[in-house]
Amino acid sequence: MQKQSAKSQWRARWCIALTILLGSTNLANALDLIELLGGNQGQALPLPAEVTFTYTAGDQLIPDKLTAEGIDLKPAADESGISGYRLYWADDAGNKIIDLPLLGGKPFITELNTSGRALSYRFAADTTVPPSAFSVLACSRTADSEYCGSSASDKVFYRFRDSGMAATLTELPLVTGDLGALANCPGVEVAASCGNQMCDALETAENCPADCGNWQLASYNYQTLCSDIQSIHTPSSVAEVQQLVSAAAAAGKRVKVTGKAHSATEVMCTDGVLISTAQLTMHNPSLGIQLETFEGVEVVKVPAGTLMWDLSEWLHPRGKSIGYTHLGYAYPTVAGHIATSSHGSSPRHRTVLAHSVVGMEVVTADGQLRQFSRGTTKKDLWKALTTNLGYLGVVTSLRIEVQPTTNLHVKVTYHDDDYLFQNGPDSAWENIKDCDFGQYNWYPGMSKVIRSCGMETSAPAEPGALNRLLNPSVPAEIFPFFKQGMHAAACNPGGYLDGFMERFRYLQFVNQPPFVKDQDGKSVFTADVVGPQHRMITSTLVDGQDGFFQMDWEVAVPRANAAAAMQYINNFLHGQNAKNLDLRLPLVGVFTRYAKSEDHTLMAYTGTGGPFADNSHVVHIEMPIYVPAGFNQAQLDAYMAPFVEYVSVLIEEYGARAHWAKNREWTFDLQRQLGSFNYGDRLKKFNKAVATLDPNGVFANEYAKRIGIIYPNFNYPADW
């Protein structure tokens, strides 16, 4: 009783003093300001489980202001003793700040009443975040008191701003320009020019094959260079495709098809005739594109060489979409996407376009144009065609299921990486499973993870809304230092510069979140955006930065093993690996996405079979890395060793399967040895389809041998 009396006296004195100070008779304002100063911290109350905040950051690498967008709050586990929550601007330790323009008004952001469910608050348009605010603090309240936590570790706050970018930008030219530190780093001079499409003085076919090698077709990342192609053709009609295949078969030559070469493996190479689908697109007036009903299903009939982005841009104004099946990258061809069972990311919906194919037209090894469909083709042959890897003929057009288009409201939030593990081994899944579109970018050296979560909404799309994850804004004057820094970091994995480059990239995504929209007549980066489904899911790649080579290591892990695999990755990244290295991933971190395993194909690497239970979820774990130019093979092997280790362990111990269009060829040797694609005799069934459509190996290549394809009338050359 005495304590309460003393406290009441203290409050009364503060009220009088603050009322005089404010020159106001508004006692309520004075009482509110006492709350801000912490003068009415009551007894402990249940605190909210989590608070997050989203913002728009402008177009600069160091934003001159942040515009507040919204706050989301997960309620306390037990709300019985509280009436609501109060939200404050706070410093980087979660301490309330006094925002002087608020004096005379409410010193907190807002109050929310308990409701037994998650709560959201949207700011008024053009609300500027106070410059001194680095976080949002969430407190619980009753009618006459509030509780914000008794210590820093007890507080519930969300840090959204980091002051480190200015110092990092200042340091970047210094650390990357230290020639002494680079003295023992191989390939520095070569790396500066390699990739500019000119064979410069220091470059050779050995140290820079991208510029100096004798190749005819390069993968998008220049990690696979096809050098045995005899001729390349770009037909503009199906009849031309038939003629090319017939002539090649008659001459005993082999055939392969290429679209945008968005594959990093030799699946795209041939020692014979290469057919490009560059003119077999929706823009070809003799082919076109149309919506129709086929076998009772609403579909789009689209030429095989059409880019995924073009397809969705055509469908969108017609109120249709292909759902969540877009890749992270915008410009593969439709046929290439399907042939390799590539994927988008959704914890709730289909993400593999191969599962949505209803019909296709294919020029087979005899030069005939044949029609296949879900309803008329024998089951196993159809399931082979829908992830065909280019081994069953030249696909010229496809019929693909469509659905009503929708907008997504995407929010990007930033967390300590214990967010992936803090509530048990399955925390990563539990924290994203309700998103219609969801993915993580995990930066282990920073101990941070970026969560992108999109929810379907009826709200209108914001002008200029786009995904920019793979196309960040790196100023031209900074990029040479960034590239040199990445190369120097590759010479000392796990070292200071490696960590520095990861810090730069993470801070860049804090200051420039991976989405944009139009604001005040210009495109600005934002962590809170509403846009058309496909524009929120897929991104272009960085333009105009020649010579920045990368490699994508990616596997799909079955749902049953996902939690254990994520824990393994956490340990692996933090030194529990053969080299005892703390690994850094400066590009997009550990890129973690989600798909659904379905029984519609034989060879989709997410397909049902073995540990991949039908209709269960699949976790895609990807580590895109910088590939240094100028390293000799031994140096490159040493650099790649940790990534070889993680992929091997996930395949051998966690039942993972490697993405057909990523990784390196040895991963498929390993899978063949382990029988990863022979669950339920799937590879055997695929080989029956090969025997039916291409018994003489017209579409064979060395990669086919590697994955276990057998031809009845064709023997692989001895040197394959």
Side-chain angles (χ1 to χ4, degrees):
M1 213 42 201
Q2 268 185 321
K3 279 186 180 180
Q4 184 62 40
S5 176
K7 185 174 180 180
S8 297
Q9 291 176 15
W10 184 90
R11 271 186 98 201
R13 290 170 184 162
W14 265 102
C15 286
I16 294 168
L18 288 171
T19 302
I20 294 170
L21 175 64
L22 294 171
S24 169
T25 58
N26 190 338
L27 185 60
N29 285 343
L31 288 170
D32 286 336
L33 195 52
I34 289 174
E35 305 290 359
L36 178 62
L37 296 170
N40 195 28
Q41 176 84 339
Q43 63 182 7
L45 298 171
L47 289 170
E50 180 186 58
V51 64
T52 56
F53 166 72
T54 53
Y55 55 90
T56 293
D59 62 347
Q60 301 298 314
L61 201 50
I62 301 177
D64 54 0
K65 72 169 186 175
L66 298 182
T67 302
E69 297 281 357
I71 294 175
D72 290 294
L73 183 141
K74 290 183 180 179
D78 178 8
E79 293 187 314
S80 59
I82 60 176
S83 58
Y85 307 96
R86 190 172 285 147
L87 303 169
Y88 293 93
W89 296 118
D91 63 18
D92 60 359
N95 301 308
K96 300 174 189 175
I97 64 168
I98 299 177
D99 183 34
L100 291 179
L102 288 176
L103 292 179
K106 294 288 186 183
F108 47 82
I109 298 170
T110 193
E111 292 180 324
L112 302 172
N113 295 325
T114 56
S115 66
R117 55 182 174 78
L119 300 169
S120 294
Y121 171 74
R122 299 299 294 178
F123 287 88
D126 301 322
T127 298
T128 300
V129 177
S132 56
F134 277 68
S135 67
V136 168
L137 172 69
C139 304
S140 294
R141 63 181 174 85
T142 63
D144 61 356
S145 69
E146 74 170 23
Y147 180 71
C148 301
S150 59
S151 65
S153 61
D154 191 29
K155 292 178 180 177
V156 177
F157 67 101
Y158 176 82
R159 184 172 174 176
F160 58 83
R161 200 190 321 244
D162 197 303
S163 60
M165 180 55 89
T168 300
L169 285 176
T170 301
E171 191 177 357
L172 181 61
L174 300 178
V175 298
T176 60
D178 182 356
L179 297 180
L182 296 175
N184 296 318
C185 185
V188 174
E189 297 87 355
V190 172
S193 60
C194 186
N196 64 6
Q197 303 302 300
M198 296 183 291
C199 192
D200 295 305
L202 296 173
E203 297 173 2
T204 67
E206 288 71 35
N207 65 25
C208 183
D211 288 354
C212 302
N214 182 26
W215 49 267
Q216 298 83 42
L217 176 68
S219 62
Y220 74 101
N221 60 0
Y222 290 90
Q223 297 309 294
T224 293
L225 304 172
C226 306
S227 57
D228 296 322
I229 298 171
Q230 295 180 28
S231 61
I232 300 176
H233 305 270
T234 308
S236 59
S237 70
V238 174
E240 287 182 66
V241 175
Q242 292 179 263
Q243 293 167 6
L244 287 166
V245 173
S246 296
K253 295 181 178 180
R254 286 176 283 275
V255 177
K256 207 74 174 99
V257 182
T258 185
K260 292 293 286 185
H262 195 72
S263 293
T265 65
E266 293 176 358
V267 67
M268 66 183 197
C269 294
T270 183
D271 60 353
V273 175
L274 184 72
I275 295 176
S276 168
T277 61
Q279 292 190 43
L280 301 176
T281 76
M282 58 180 274
H283 303 296
N284 184 327
S286 67
L287 300 176
I289 181 174
Q290 63 189 45
L291 289 167
E292 61 185 30
T293 298
F294 181 79
E295 294 185 353
V297 179
E298 190 173 15
V299 301
V300 59
K301 184 179 181 184
V302 58
T306 300
L307 301 184
M308 291 290 294
W309 178 263
D310 290 349
L311 171 60
S312 284
E313 286 289 288
W314 185 86
L315 287 171
H316 178 66
R318 292 164 176 81
K320 302 298 178 183
S321 82
I322 53 172
Y324 294 86
T325 60
H326 268 280
L327 288 78
Y329 171 55
Y331 294 141
T333 64
V334 175
H337 185 359
I338 289 166
T340 55
S341 68
S342 296
H343 62 91
S345 186
S346 171
R348 301 182 60 198
H349 306 279
R350 172 178 290 174
T351 65
V352 179
L353 188 63
H355 297 156
S356 295
V357 181
V358 183
M360 63 175 72
E361 297 177 352
V362 184
V363 175
T364 51
D366 56 4
Q368 297 299 307
L369 178 66
R370 299 189 183 185
Q371 309 280 336
F372 300 95
S373 77
R374 183 188 289 173
T376 63
T377 302
K378 290 182 178 180
K379 183 178 179 181
D380 285 346
L381 178 57
W382 177 249
K383 289 169 73 174
L385 284 160
T386 49
T387 298
N388 56 69
L389 299 171
Y391 292 123
L392 300 179
V394 182
V395 177
T396 57
S397 71
L398 297 121
R399 288 182 169 95
I400 301 167
E401 291 181 45
V402 295
Q403 61 192 56
T405 191
T406 185
N407 289 337
L408 291 178
H409 186 178
V410 181
K411 297 178 182 180
V412 181
T413 53
Y414 303 80
H415 308 266
D416 294 337
D417 63 2
D418 64 359
Y419 183 80
L420 302 174
F421 306 100
Q422 63 188 0
N423 294 319
D426 218 18
S427 293
W429 170 252
E430 291 296 323
N431 288 330
I432 209 162
K433 67 180 183 180
D434 295 327
C435 303
D436 290 305
F437 160 66
Q439 61 190 32
Y440 293 114
N441 296 92
W442 175 13
Y443 289 91
M446 292 292 293
S447 298
K448 297 290 185 181
V449 64
I450 303 171
R451 173 183 180 264
S452 297
C453 176
M455 302 297 290
E456 293 183 3
T457 179
S458 59
E462 296 177 275
L466 287 171
N467 184 323
R468 286 281 300 269
L469 176 68
L470 305 181
N471 189 11
S473 176
V474 180
E477 62 273 18
I478 291 176
F479 186 74
F481 297 111
F482 180 76
K483 181 181 176 183
Q484 186 166 316
M486 291 297 298
H487 188 88
C491 291
N492 185 26
Y496 173 77
L497 191 52
D498 205 12
F500 175 88
M501 298 308 296
E502 186 185 89
R503 183 166 80 251
F504 172 82
R505 287 289 286 140
Y506 174 75
L507 291 177
Q508 181 181 17
F509 280 128
V510 172
N511 286 1
Q512 294 182 328
F515 293 85
V516 294
K517 61 185 176 184
D518 292 345
Q519 186 181 80
D520 298 329
K522 60 183 179 181
S523 181
V524 295
F525 291 91
T526 182
D528 193 307
V529 62
V530 176
Q533 187 179 40
H534 68 287
R535 295 181 193 170
M536 298 295 90
I537 295 171
T538 193
S539 169
T540 59
L541 290 178
V542 176
D543 294 325
Q545 294 167 356
D546 292 335
F548 192 86
F549 304 120
Q550 71 173 70
M551 181 65 212
D552 296 326
W553 297 97
E554 182 186 339
V555 298
V557 179
R559 176 77 182 93
N561 301 336
M566 287 293 285
Q567 188 58 62
Y568 160 73
I569 291 294
N570 190 36
N571 295 336
F572 169 83
L573 293 169
H574 291 95
Q576 294 184 35
N577 52 66
K579 292 198 169 188
N580 298 316
L581 284 176
D582 288 324
L583 292 170
R584 305 292 180 254
L585 295 159
L587 298 184
V588 292
V590 181
F591 197 9
T592 306
R593 291 175 286 174
Y594 296 86
K596 185 179 289 186
S597 184
E598 298 185 66
D599 193 17
H600 295 300
T601 72
L602 293 176
M603 299 295 282
Y605 82 109
T606 57
T608 300
F612 290 79
D614 190 29
N615 210 38
S616 66
H617 284 87
V618 174
V619 181
H620 298 276
I621 300 175
E622 181 176 6
M623 296 188 193
I625 62 169
Y626 170 77
V627 178
F631 277 29
N632 62 38
Q633 193 59 52
Q635 291 163 338
L636 191 59
D637 288 346
Y639 174 72
M640 292 290 186
F643 307 102
V644 171
E645 179 182 349
Y646 111 81
V647 171
S648 299
V649 169
L650 288 182
I651 291 173
E652 292 174 343
E653 299 183 20
Y654 296 92
R657 298 179 189 152
H659 194 306
W660 290 118
K662 299 181 182 181
N663 307 293
R664 300 309 297 160
E665 281 65 27
W666 64 266
T667 58
F668 306 102
D669 293 336
L670 177 61
Q671 289 185 165
R672 188 186 69 250
Q673 294 162 14
L674 295 174
S676 296
F677 278 89
N678 209 30
Y679 298 120
D681 291 326
R682 286 173 178 269
L683 182 58
K684 183 178 180 180
K685 292 176 180 178
F686 189 81
N687 276 326
K688 285 185 178 180
V690 170
T692 299
L693 297 182
D694 187 20
N696 300 318
V698 172
F699 297 103
N701 64 3
E702 188 171 354
Y703 185 91
K705 178 183 179 182
R706 176 161 262 129
I707 64 176
I709 292 178
I710 299 171
Y711 297 89
N713 305 325
F714 170 73
N715 294 318
Y716 290 106
D719 59 345
W720 281 12

PDB file of all heavy atoms in Angstrom, residues 258-276:
ATOM      1  N   THR A 258      18.112 -25.824 -77.005  1.00  0.00           N
ATOM      2  CA  THR A 258      18.432 -24.812 -75.995  1.00  0.00           C
ATOM      3  C   THR A 258      17.419 -23.680 -76.053  1.00  0.00           C
ATOM      4  O   THR A 258      16.885 -23.355 -77.117  1.00  0.00           O
ATOM      5  CB  THR A 258      19.848 -24.250 -76.193  1.00  0.00           C
ATOM      6  OG1 THR A 258      20.157 -23.359 -75.110  1.00  0.00           O
ATOM      7  CG2 THR A 258      19.986 -23.473 -77.499  1.00  0.00           C
ATOM      8  N   GLY A 259      17.157 -23.099 -74.892  1.00  0.00           N
ATOM      9  CA  GLY A 259      16.297 -21.924 -74.818  1.00  0.00           C
ATOM     10  C   GLY A 259      17.135 -20.721 -74.421  1.00  0.00           C
ATOM     11  O   GLY A 259      17.834 -20.131 -75.235  1.00  0.00           O
ATOM     12  N   LYS A 260      17.113 -20.394 -73.108  1.00  0.00           N
ATOM     13  CA  LYS A 260      17.925 -19.282 -72.599  1.00  0.00           C
ATOM     14  C   LYS A 260      19.190 -19.773 -71.902  1.00  0.00           C
ATOM     15  O   LYS A 260      19.898 -18.991 -71.270  1.00  0.00           O
ATOM     16  CB  LYS A 260      17.099 -18.442 -71.630  1.00  0.00           C
ATOM     17  CG  LYS A 260      15.968 -17.678 -72.291  1.00  0.00           C
ATOM     18  CD  LYS A 260      16.472 -16.588 -73.219  1.00  0.00           C
ATOM     19  CE  LYS A 260      17.020 -15.403 -72.435  1.00  0.00           C
ATOM     20  NZ  LYS A 260      17.406 -14.290 -73.325  1.00  0.00           N
ATOM     21  N   ALA A 261      19.477 -21.066 -71.995  1.00  0.00           N
ATOM     22  CA  ALA A 261      20.686 -21.653 -71.393  1.00  0.00           C
ATOM     23  C   ALA A 261      20.764 -21.380 -69.898  1.00  0.00           C
ATOM     24  O   ALA A 261      21.846 -21.176 -69.352  1.00  0.00           O
ATOM     25  CB  ALA A 261      21.948 -21.137 -72.099  1.00  0.00           C
ATOM     26  N   HIS A 262      19.590 -21.392 -69.245  1.00  0.00           N
ATOM     27  CA  HIS A 262      19.594 -21.173 -67.803  1.00  0.00           C
ATOM     28  C   HIS A 262      19.777 -22.504 -67.075  1.00  0.00           C
ATOM     29  O   HIS A 262      18.993 -22.902 -66.220  1.00  0.00           O
ATOM     30  CB  HIS A 262      18.318 -20.477 -67.349  1.00  0.00           C
ATOM     31  CG  HIS A 262      18.417 -19.913 -65.965  1.00  0.00           C
ATOM     32  ND1 HIS A 262      19.177 -18.802 -65.679  1.00  0.00           N
ATOM     33  CD2 HIS A 262      17.888 -20.313 -64.791  1.00  0.00           C
ATOM     34  CE1 HIS A 262      19.099 -18.551 -64.384  1.00  0.00           C
ATOM     35  NE2 HIS A 262      18.322 -19.457 -63.816  1.00  0.00           N
ATOM     36  N   SER A 263      20.818 -23.201 -67.456  1.00  0.00           N
ATOM     37  CA  SER A 263      21.240 -24.438 -66.804  1.00  0.00           C
ATOM     38  C   SER A 263      22.738 -24.361 -66.599  1.00  0.00           C
ATOM     39  O   SER A 263      23.456 -23.829 -67.450  1.00  0.00           O
ATOM     40  CB  SER A 263      20.902 -25.666 -67.656  1.00  0.00           C
ATOM     41  OG  SER A 263      19.514 -25.853 -67.769  1.00  0.00           O
ATOM     42  N   ALA A 264      23.193 -24.900 -65.474  1.00  0.00           N
ATOM     43  CA  ALA A 264      24.619 -24.834 -65.162  1.00  0.00           C
ATOM     44  C   ALA A 264      25.315 -26.163 -65.405  1.00  0.00           C
ATOM     45  O   ALA A 264      26.484 -26.320 -65.084  1.00  0.00           O
ATOM     46  CB  ALA A 264      24.822 -24.408 -63.706  1.00  0.00           C
ATOM     47  N   THR A 265      24.598 -27.138 -65.978  1.00  0.00           N
ATOM     48  CA  THR A 265      25.171 -28.458 -66.189  1.00  0.00           C
ATOM     49  C   THR A 265      25.242 -28.768 -67.679  1.00  0.00           C
ATOM     50  O   THR A 265      24.695 -28.041 -68.518  1.00  0.00           O
ATOM     51  CB  THR A 265      24.323 -29.544 -65.497  1.00  0.00           C
ATOM     52  OG1 THR A 265      23.036 -29.596 -66.133  1.00  0.00           O
ATOM     53  CG2 THR A 265      24.140 -29.232 -64.018  1.00  0.00           C
ATOM     54  N   GLU A 266      25.850 -29.910 -68.001  1.00  0.00           N
ATOM     55  CA  GLU A 266      26.019 -30.316 -69.390  1.00  0.00           C
ATOM     56  C   GLU A 266      24.758 -30.949 -69.974  1.00  0.00           C
ATOM     57  O   GLU A 266      24.792 -31.507 -71.073  1.00  0.00           O
ATOM     58  CB  GLU A 266      27.199 -31.276 -69.501  1.00  0.00           C
ATOM     59  CG  GLU A 266      28.529 -30.592 -69.202  1.00  0.00           C
ATOM     60  CD  GLU A 266      29.707 -31.552 -69.216  1.00  0.00           C
ATOM     61  OE1 GLU A 266      29.486 -32.768 -69.419  1.00  0.00           O
ATOM     62  OE2 GLU A 266      30.846 -31.098 -69.020  1.00  0.00           O
ATOM     63  N   VAL A 267      23.642 -30.858 -69.260  1.00  0.00           N
ATOM     64  CA  VAL A 267      22.382 -31.337 -69.804  1.00  0.00           C
ATOM     65  C   VAL A 267      22.053 -30.635 -71.116  1.00  0.00           C
ATOM     66  O   VAL A 267      21.356 -31.180 -71.985  1.00  0.00           O
ATOM     67  CB  VAL A 267      21.237 -31.132 -68.781  1.00  0.00           C
ATOM     68  CG1 VAL A 267      20.948 -29.665 -68.546  1.00  0.00           C
ATOM     69  CG2 VAL A 267      19.985 -31.888 -69.208  1.00  0.00           C
ATOM     70  N   MET A 268      22.599 -29.429 -71.335  1.00  0.00           N
ATOM     71  CA  MET A 268      22.253 -28.640 -72.515  1.00  0.00           C
ATOM     72  C   MET A 268      23.222 -28.855 -73.683  1.00  0.00           C
ATOM     73  O   MET A 268      22.986 -28.343 -74.769  1.00  0.00           O
ATOM     74  CB  MET A 268      22.249 -27.151 -72.152  1.00  0.00           C
ATOM     75  CG  MET A 268      23.595 -26.604 -71.780  1.00  0.00           C
ATOM     76  SD  MET A 268      23.457 -24.868 -71.285  1.00  0.00           S
ATOM     77  CE  MET A 268      25.180 -24.371 -71.416  1.00  0.00           C
ATOM     78  N   CYS A 269      24.293 -29.624 -73.495  1.00  0.00           N
ATOM     79  CA  CYS A 269      25.330 -29.752 -74.521  1.00  0.00           C
ATOM     80  C   CYS A 269      25.052 -30.903 -75.495  1.00  0.00           C
ATOM     81  O   CYS A 269      24.324 -31.849 -75.182  1.00  0.00           O
ATOM     82  CB  CYS A 269      26.692 -29.971 -73.868  1.00  0.00           C
ATOM     83  SG  CYS A 269      27.306 -28.561 -72.914  1.00  0.00           S
ATOM     84  N   THR A 270      25.645 -30.812 -76.674  1.00  0.00           N
ATOM     85  CA  THR A 270      25.590 -31.877 -77.671  1.00  0.00           C
ATOM     86  C   THR A 270      26.871 -31.856 -78.494  1.00  0.00           C
ATOM     87  O   THR A 270      27.578 -30.834 -78.532  1.00  0.00           O
ATOM     88  CB  THR A 270      24.372 -31.713 -78.604  1.00  0.00           C
ATOM     89  OG1 THR A 270      24.320 -32.807 -79.510  1.00  0.00           O
ATOM     90  CG2 THR A 270      24.454 -30.415 -79.406  1.00  0.00           C
ATOM     91  N   ASP A 271      27.155 -32.997 -79.138  1.00  0.00           N
ATOM     92  CA  ASP A 271      28.276 -33.028 -80.077  1.00  0.00           C
ATOM     93  C   ASP A 271      27.766 -33.034 -81.514  1.00  0.00           C
ATOM     94  O   ASP A 271      28.489 -33.388 -82.445  1.00  0.00           O
ATOM     95  CB  ASP A 271      29.164 -34.259 -79.827  1.00  0.00           C
ATOM     96  CG  ASP A 271      28.408 -35.573 -80.000  1.00  0.00           C
ATOM     97  OD1 ASP A 271      27.174 -35.543 -80.189  1.00  0.00           O
ATOM     98  OD2 ASP A 271      29.052 -36.641 -79.943  1.00  0.00           O
ATOM     99  N   GLY A 272      26.509 -32.606 -81.682  1.00  0.00           N
ATOM    100  CA  GLY A 272      25.913 -32.604 -83.012  1.00  0.00           C
ATOM    101  C   GLY A 272      25.207 -31.305 -83.326  1.00  0.00           C
ATOM    102  O   GLY A 272      25.821 -30.230 -83.361  1.00  0.00           O
ATOM    103  N   VAL A 273      23.893 -31.379 -83.507  1.00  0.00           N
ATOM    104  CA  VAL A 273      23.081 -30.244 -83.950  1.00  0.00           C
ATOM    105  C   VAL A 273      22.384 -29.604 -82.743  1.00  0.00           C
ATOM    106  O   VAL A 273      21.730 -30.292 -81.964  1.00  0.00           O
ATOM    107  CB  VAL A 273      22.022 -30.708 -84.975  1.00  0.00           C
ATOM    108  CG1 VAL A 273      21.091 -29.561 -85.359  1.00  0.00           C
ATOM    109  CG2 VAL A 273      22.697 -31.300 -86.213  1.00  0.00           C
ATOM    110  N   LEU A 274      22.525 -28.297 -82.612  1.00  0.00           N
ATOM    111  CA  LEU A 274      21.847 -27.556 -81.548  1.00  0.00           C
ATOM    112  C   LEU A 274      20.703 -26.760 -82.155  1.00  0.00           C
ATOM    113  O   LEU A 274      20.896 -25.994 -83.106  1.00  0.00           O
ATOM    114  CB  LEU A 274      22.813 -26.610 -80.840  1.00  0.00           C
ATOM    115  CG  LEU A 274      22.215 -25.856 -79.649  1.00  0.00           C
ATOM    116  CD1 LEU A 274      21.998 -26.803 -78.471  1.00  0.00           C
ATOM    117  CD2 LEU A 274      23.112 -24.687 -79.227  1.00  0.00           C
ATOM    118  N   ILE A 275      19.503 -26.945 -81.607  1.00  0.00           N
ATOM    119  CA  ILE A 275      18.327 -26.205 -82.059  1.00  0.00           C
ATOM    120  C   ILE A 275      17.944 -25.198 -80.985  1.00  0.00           C
ATOM    121  O   ILE A 275      17.682 -25.567 -79.836  1.00  0.00           O
ATOM    122  CB  ILE A 275      17.151 -27.162 -82.334  1.00  0.00           C
ATOM    123  CG1 ILE A 275      17.489 -28.100 -83.496  1.00  0.00           C
ATOM    124  CG2 ILE A 275      15.884 -26.367 -82.642  1.00  0.00           C
ATOM    125  CD1 ILE A 275      16.415 -29.138 -83.778  1.00  0.00           C
ATOM    126  N   SER A 276      17.908 -23.933 -81.354  1.00  0.00           N
ATOM    127  CA  SER A 276      17.496 -22.869 -80.442  1.00  0.00           C
ATOM    128  C   SER A 276      16.008 -22.582 -80.620  1.00  0.00           C
ATOM    129  O   SER A 276      15.500 -22.542 -81.753  1.00  0.00           O
ATOM    130  CB  SER A 276      18.299 -21.601 -80.708  1.00  0.00           C
ATOM    131  OG  SER A 276      17.727 -20.500 -80.033  1.00  0.00           O
TER     132      SER A 276
END
